[in-house]
Every structure is written in C-alpha cells, then in structure tokens.
Amino acid sequence: MASEPEDKEDDNEEDEKEREEAARRERRELRRRKRAAEVEELTSVGHQALKQGQTQEAVNSFRGALKAASQLGQSRVVSACCLNLGAALVEAGDPESGLEYLNKAKPGPKSQRLPDLQFNLGLAHRALGQRRQAAQHFLQAAQLYSSQGNGPEEGHSCWERGRCHALEEEHALAVQSFLRAAESYRVANVPHSAAAALKEAAAHMLQCDEFSPDEASKALTDCLSLSDSVTDQGILGELLLSVGVVFCQLRLFPEAVQCFQKALSPASQQQDRPLLAKVLLNLGAALNAVGEFSGALEYHRLAAKLYGSLGQRGEQAQCFSNLALACRRLGKEDEAIESFNHALQGFTDSAEHSAQVQVCEALAEVYLKQRKQHKAIQLYRQALLSLSHCQDSEGVGNRLVERLTSALRLTVTQRPRHFGPTRPRPLSPLTPLSPRMYLNTPSPTTASNQQREEQKGEELSEPGSDRELHTDSEVSLVQTSEAPPIDSPDSREATPLLERLRSRFCSLM
C-alpha cells in the first residue's frame, strides 16, 4: 500500500519533466520564429534599399540577415542570404568580397545548377576584369534559364555575355550572344529588348570580317520591325536613335535619316531634352551626308541651342561645325565663318584638341577662298599648336605645314614691292578643300566596304569614340548607350533603355 504515493510521486516528476521539455521546445520555437522573422524583415529592407539605390544600406541589411540566418541552422536560408549579400556587395562596388560570399552560397557541384548564382558570379568576375570567366558563367546561366523556360532571364544572360565578348573585342562571339539574346526576348514577347539586341548584333557585325554589310542591314531591318511593338516612347526614341547611328556606320544615310525623323516624335513627347538634342544633331548630320543642306540647317541650329541650354559645350560645338559645313555648301560664307568660330570656341572650352585642329583647318580654307591669307596663316598656326596635344598626328602635321607654307608664299607674292624688277614665281598648287569634319573615330569596315568608301571619297566615324584627326567626312554623330531595355522579372512595366542590368537577388523563403 505504501507504493502508491511513491508511484504518484514518480508520475508527478515525469509530468514535470515533460512540461519543462515542452516549455523548452516552445522557447526554442519562439526563438526560431523570431530569428526567421528577423531574417525576412532584414531581407525585405535590403530589397527596398536596392530599389531606392541605397546599396550600402542594402549590404548592411543583408549582412544582418545572414547573421540571424546562421543561428537558425538552415542551410537553404543561409545560402540565400549569402547570395543576397554577395550580390549586394558586387552592386556596391566591392566585387572581391561579393565573390567570396557568392562562392559560399552553394559550394560544390550544386552551384552549377543555380542560374541566379551563375549570373551573379558572372557580374562579379566581370567587375574584377575577368571577362572571359564572366562570359562562361553567363553562358551557364543562360543554359539553366533556358532549361527552366525562363526566356527573359535567358536573354539577359546572353546580353551580358555579349557585353563581355565585346569588351574583349571578340566581336564574332558578341554577335552570336546578342542574336541569341534577341531570339530569347522575341520568344518571351519582350520586343523592345529583342530589338535592342538585334541593334547591338548589327553594330558588332561591322567590327569583324565574318559578317557582311547586308547581314548587318538585315539585322537592323528586323530590329525596326520589332520596334513597331514598342509602346514606351522613351525606349522607342532611344532605339530609333541608336539604329540610325548604326545605319550611318553602314553608310546607309537615307535609312538613317528615316530613323532619326521617326525618333523626333517620341523624343519630343517624352520631353527628354538630352535625347532630343542627340536626335536633332544626328538628323542634321545625316541630312548633310545625303546633300540636303537646306533641310539640315534648322536641325543644326535647334540642336546647338538645346545643347547650349544643357551646358554641353563640346556637343554644341559639334552642332556648330555641322552647321558651318551646310552653310558653306549653300554659299552662306558669313554664317559658315560665324559657326566655325562658335565651334572653335566650344571645342576650346571642352579641351577637344583634335576637333580644334579640324575646325581651324576648315575655317582657314574659307579665309583663303576670300583671299584673307593672314587669318588663314593664324589658324594654321593655331591648328599646329592644338595638334601638339594629339597622338598619331604626323600625317596631319605634314599637311598643315604644307598648307601653312603655301599660305605664306601667297602672302609674300601679294606684298607690294617698291624696288627692283620682279620675276614671276610659281606657287605650289593649293587644292581647295571641302571642310569635312571627322568628329569621332572611324569605324572598322570590311575590305569591300572600304573600297566602296574610297570611291565615294568619304569616311564615317564610329559614334561614341574619341575624336581623331581627319577632314574627310560630312557627318558627326553621337551614339547612345549600349545597354538594353530590360524588363524586370518582377514587374510588367518597361524599364528605361539606359538602365544597367543589376544583380540577381533572392526574395527569400
């Protein structure tokens, strides 16, 4: 009978232990939930900071999320936090630290099966200057996205791979990547991105001999057919402008004029003054190239006025030099001289020495035509002074010296003499020049294209490059940014054409 109280006492002890264990489990679960909620909250704050461009705040939030996740002991959550922190560090300009965390996200073979991780690894390696390694990661990301049926992300990966090859001057591989990106975007019904990729493919076709001008022209035509589906006026204006620039590189100036004319409306509707200025400058230059100088005048003037209001002296000077060329062809010598002088002042203000040389030489030719040899001599000397700041200028220097010498001889022969008999003195012939401006670097072309250009006696510049010393072109162009219009995977709204592609992040859990 005495055992009953002992049994009850034992039962009470076991019940107490169970209650204590249950309480401990509940406390652990509460801590786990608290940490999980903290990870979720910090991750959400990090994403919000990224959207607002606050990369350092995002890094701090993702770092806190990783610390909280480490206490959870769940490898999946820790991996996601490592990926986010690594991507944010790359975005914040610390790719070396970012790469360290990205490699911790999924060490071993599993990392080869995560497309977002491969994409971020590509961004990190490219930021470190390891472009070929980056291209391999982007290729792997594209293949993984393709296997998932994710066309937009496949297109993004191919685009970034194309950029890597372009930076390495592997233009044939760049063309292949951009063409694949275009197809991925097209299948995914992202027409403006597909059109931008085709434009990039066409531009890089001009950089290697493996593609003909006809292939590049076809890519641009396909691009324009897709542009009809682009509803965002800002994206459409940028796209038409950049397509027109590539048409100019192909020396298809009538097609370029049409593109620039179409770009006027969306650029005006968006009230995007920098975009409108580029369109006006290029349209005027292309009209110069087809000989429609009267029609080009107003565009040159509008572009010069707009660039002046934007405070962009170099671009404004470019407009004035194009205006001077048109005025000279139309016999408006006084306006040509005034415009050349405005251009010279603008290029001086912006320290563009090669452009100063070109304007000085062109203006000197105008003064020689008016028999104002002293002004021409002064300009040739100014051109030689500016030339001293330029590289690879030997050929131009020899020509300037020769023309300066001829101008000096003209001055001597025209000087009145009051003593002794005079004898006729033959002058070296001074070939009159058409002042053609090369305001950018000439684009590489194929052998057949070069022969055709020599027959025309003209060369076209590749827009967007440093200016070189030439006087054999009627056009000067401005190129748009090379980045594509990209649709955010989490948004149906079109993003700007100039937006740079960003890192991939996990929404988490």
Side-chain angles (χ1 to χ4, degrees), residues 364-417:
E365 296 302 314
V366 178
Y367 282 133
L368 284 175
K369 184 178 178 181
Q370 296 182 344
R371 298 179 180 274
K372 298 177 180 178
Q373 283 83 6
H374 286 89
K375 289 187 176 182
I377 289 169
Q378 183 180 359
L379 285 163
Y380 283 133
R381 286 173 174 164
Q382 185 177 347
L384 287 167
L385 181 61
S386 299
L387 193 65
S388 64
H389 299 281
C390 304
Q391 297 179 349
D392 302 326
S393 57
E394 182 178 354
V396 178
N398 292 337
R399 184 179 70 242
L400 288 172
V401 169
E402 180 182 347
R403 291 178 180 173
L404 173 59
T405 303
S406 297
L408 287 168
R409 288 176 179 172
L410 280 172
T411 303
V412 170
T413 58
Q414 292 177 1
R415 184 180 301 166
R417 294 173 180 265

Side-chain angles (χ1 to χ4, degrees), residues 5-199:
E6 292 179 359
D7 291 341
K8 288 181 179 180
E9 187 174 335
D10 291 340
D11 289 343
N12 289 336
E13 289 179 359
E14 289 179 3
D15 290 343
E16 183 64 24
K17 289 180 180 179
E18 288 179 1
R19 284 193 295 271
E20 289 177 358
E21 181 61 29
R24 282 194 293 270
R25 286 197 300 269
E26 185 175 353
R27 286 194 295 270
R28 285 196 300 268
E29 179 63 19
L30 286 173
R31 286 195 298 270
R32 188 196 67 79
R33 290 179 180 177
K34 183 178 179 180
R35 291 192 185 105
E38 184 180 3
V39 172
E40 285 281 7
E41 182 180 358
L42 287 169
T43 300
S44 177
V45 170
H47 284 306
Q48 189 63 32
L50 283 173
K51 290 180 180 179
Q52 297 173 357
Q54 301 170 343
T55 53
Q56 191 55 52
E57 287 78 357
V59 167
N60 295 337
S61 297
F62 289 136
R63 200 183 295 278
L66 176 59
K67 182 178 179 180
S70 300
Q71 298 173 355
L72 283 173
Q74 297 181 11
S75 60
R76 179 180 63 83
V77 179
V78 171
S79 293
C81 290
C82 283
L83 189 151
N84 282 340
L85 178 55
L89 284 166
V90 173
E91 199 76 7
D94 188 2
E96 190 170 1
S97 300
L99 188 59
E100 179 183 348
Y101 282 100
L102 289 172
N103 286 325
K104 291 179 181 178
K106 260 315 179 191
K110 289 184 179 180
S111 67
Q112 307 299 315
R113 301 195 295 271
L114 298 176
D116 285 352
L117 178 56
Q118 291 300 315
F119 187 92
N120 285 334
L121 286 169
L123 291 179
H125 281 292
R126 189 179 66 195
L128 290 169
Q130 302 161 355
R131 294 163 185 158
R132 287 192 172 92
Q133 193 170 350
Q136 289 301 314
H137 285 293
F138 287 130
L139 176 60
Q140 194 162 356
Q143 293 169 344
L144 292 169
Y145 285 129
S146 178
S147 67
Q148 297 175 357
N150 192 335
E153 296 299 338
E154 179 187 0
H156 300 345
S157 302
C158 292
W159 177 279
E160 293 300 315
R161 180 183 176 227
R163 289 184 64 194
C164 290
H165 288 308
L167 290 170
E168 287 294 309
E169 297 186 356
E170 298 169 340
H171 298 292
L173 291 173
V175 170
Q176 295 173 9
S177 299
F178 287 125
L179 288 176
R180 180 177 171 184
E183 181 61 19
S184 300
Y185 288 135
R186 187 189 64 79
V187 172
N189 195 28
V190 191
H192 62 279
S193 295
L198 284 169
K199 184 268 298 181

Side-chain angles (χ1 to χ4, degrees), residues 104-396:
K104 291 179 181 178
K106 260 315 179 191
K110 289 184 179 180
S111 67
Q112 307 299 315
R113 301 195 295 271
L114 298 176
D116 285 352
L117 178 56
Q118 291 300 315
F119 187 92
N120 285 334
L121 286 169
L123 291 179
H125 281 292
R126 189 179 66 195
L128 290 169
Q130 302 161 355
R131 294 163 185 158
R132 287 192 172 92
Q133 193 170 350
Q136 289 301 314
H137 285 293
F138 287 130
L139 176 60
Q140 194 162 356
Q143 293 169 344
L144 292 169
Y145 285 129
S146 178
S147 67
Q148 297 175 357
N150 192 335
E153 296 299 338
E154 179 187 0
H156 300 345
S157 302
C158 292
W159 177 279
E160 293 300 315
R161 180 183 176 227
R163 289 184 64 194
C164 290
H165 288 308
L167 290 170
E168 287 294 309
E169 297 186 356
E170 298 169 340
H171 298 292
L173 291 173
V175 170
Q176 295 173 9
S177 299
F178 287 125
L179 288 176
R180 180 177 171 184
E183 181 61 19
S184 300
Y185 288 135
R186 187 189 64 79
V187 172
N189 195 28
V190 191
H192 62 279
S193 295
L198 284 169
K199 184 268 298 181
E200 286 297 317
H204 287 283
M205 285 178 184
L206 301 179
Q207 308 297 317
C208 59
D209 294 334
E210 297 183 27
F211 300 93
S212 67
D214 289 340
E215 290 177 291
S217 178
K218 182 182 182 304
L220 292 177
T221 302
D222 293 340
C223 169
L224 289 176
S225 66
L226 287 168
S227 70
D228 295 336
S229 304
V230 179
T231 56
D232 186 291
Q233 294 300 297
I235 290 177
L236 180 61
E238 289 277 5
L239 180 63
L240 291 170
L241 170 63
S242 55
V243 171
V245 168
V246 183
F247 269 129
C248 284
Q249 291 175 284
L250 283 167
R251 310 202 63 75
L252 299 175
F253 296 114
E255 290 83 351
V257 168
Q258 292 178 9
C259 285
F260 297 141
Q261 287 174 333
K262 289 181 181 179
L264 277 176
S265 177
S268 301
Q269 290 180 28
Q270 291 296 110
Q271 296 184 341
D272 187 337
R273 295 168 67 211
L275 174 60
L276 181 59
K278 292 177 184 178
V279 173
L280 290 169
L281 188 156
N282 280 280
L283 177 54
L287 287 169
N288 273 11
V290 297
E292 296 182 14
F293 301 106
S294 296
L297 290 179
E298 189 60 25
Y299 295 116
H300 295 318
R301 292 167 182 151
L302 288 172
K305 182 177 180 180
L306 190 50
Y307 273 122
S309 68
L310 293 170
Q312 296 178 241
R313 291 288 286 141
E315 288 78 5
Q316 185 186 35
Q318 203 167 344
C319 300
F320 277 122
S321 65
N322 290 342
L323 174 59
L325 292 171
C327 289
R328 221 190 141 185
R329 286 301 186 93
L330 293 170
K332 300 176 180 289
E333 296 290 340
D334 291 340
E335 187 175 357
I337 290 173
E338 182 182 1
S339 299
F340 274 135
N341 279 311
H342 283 311
L344 183 56
Q345 185 59 56
F347 287 133
T348 302
D349 293 343
S350 55
E352 299 188 45
H353 300 291
S354 62
Q356 293 173 44
V357 174
Q358 296 160 5
V359 174
C360 284
E361 187 174 5
L363 184 53
E365 296 302 314
V366 178
Y367 282 133
L368 284 175
K369 184 178 178 181
Q370 296 182 344
R371 298 179 180 274
K372 298 177 180 178
Q373 283 83 6
H374 286 89
K375 289 187 176 182
I377 289 169
Q378 183 180 359
L379 285 163
Y380 283 133
R381 286 173 174 164
Q382 185 177 347
L384 287 167
L385 181 61
S386 299
L387 193 65
S388 64
H389 299 281
C390 304
Q391 297 179 349
D392 302 326
S393 57
E394 182 178 354
V396 178

